[in-house]
């Protein structure tokens, strides 16, 4: 897995998965897919699937380091997911 660094000016390329709410760059979804949902969404190398299953419209950010120790992860139902940045709410169609 590559680094989670997002350069200034790249924020408009961020997208949130509509299933698990992880936030990543569009290019990372294209290269690696969703780290939590790839088994059934198959977003890697699928631009149409990325457009359908991710959204640029989301609210709030949660940084998840250790899901097993985080009450926020349990509250947001993120326990069991990989460490990363997650949206509190994802708006999609």
């Amino acid at each position: 897995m590559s680094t989670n660094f997002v350069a200034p000016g790249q924020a408009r390329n961020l997208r949130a998965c509509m299933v698990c709410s992880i936030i990543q760059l569009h290019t990372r979804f294209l290269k690696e897919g969703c780290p939590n949902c790839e088994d059934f969404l198959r977003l890697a190398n699928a631009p149409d699937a990325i457009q359908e299953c991710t959204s640029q419209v989301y609210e709030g950010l949660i940084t998840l380091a250790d899901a097993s120790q985080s009450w926020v992860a349990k509250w947001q139902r993120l326990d069991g997911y990989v460490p990363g940045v997650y949206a509190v709410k994802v708006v999609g169609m």
Side-chain angles (χ1 to χ4, degrees):
M1 188 177 272
S2 62
T3 180
N4 289 326
F5 175 75
V6 177
Q10 290 291 314
R12 62 177 46 177
N13 294 326
L14 290 172
R15 299 187 70 85
C17 175
M18 287 195 268
V19 177
C20 71
S21 302
I22 195 163
I23 299 173
Q24 300 185 133
L25 286 169
H26 181 272
T27 54
R28 188 160 181 192
F29 275 115
L30 192 60
K31 288 179 185 173
E32 302 174 12
C34 178
N36 298 307
C37 310
E38 190 59 22
D39 292 341
F40 55 92
L41 288 182
R42 305 197 193 291
L43 299 179
N45 300 312
D48 292 338
I50 293 170
Q51 292 297 322
E52 292 178 15
C53 299
T54 66
S55 175
Q56 289 182 303
V57 183
Y58 54 86
E59 297 176 11
L61 298 173
I62 299 169
T63 303
L64 182 64
D66 183 1
S68 65
Q69 299 293 317
S70 170
W71 68 267
V72 175
K74 289 176 182 65
W75 182 262
Q76 290 294 124
R77 297 183 181 140
L78 299 175
D79 43 339
Y81 288 171
V82 299
V85 179
Y86 291 82
V88 174
K89 178 182 175 185
V90 181
V91 179
M93 310 223 184

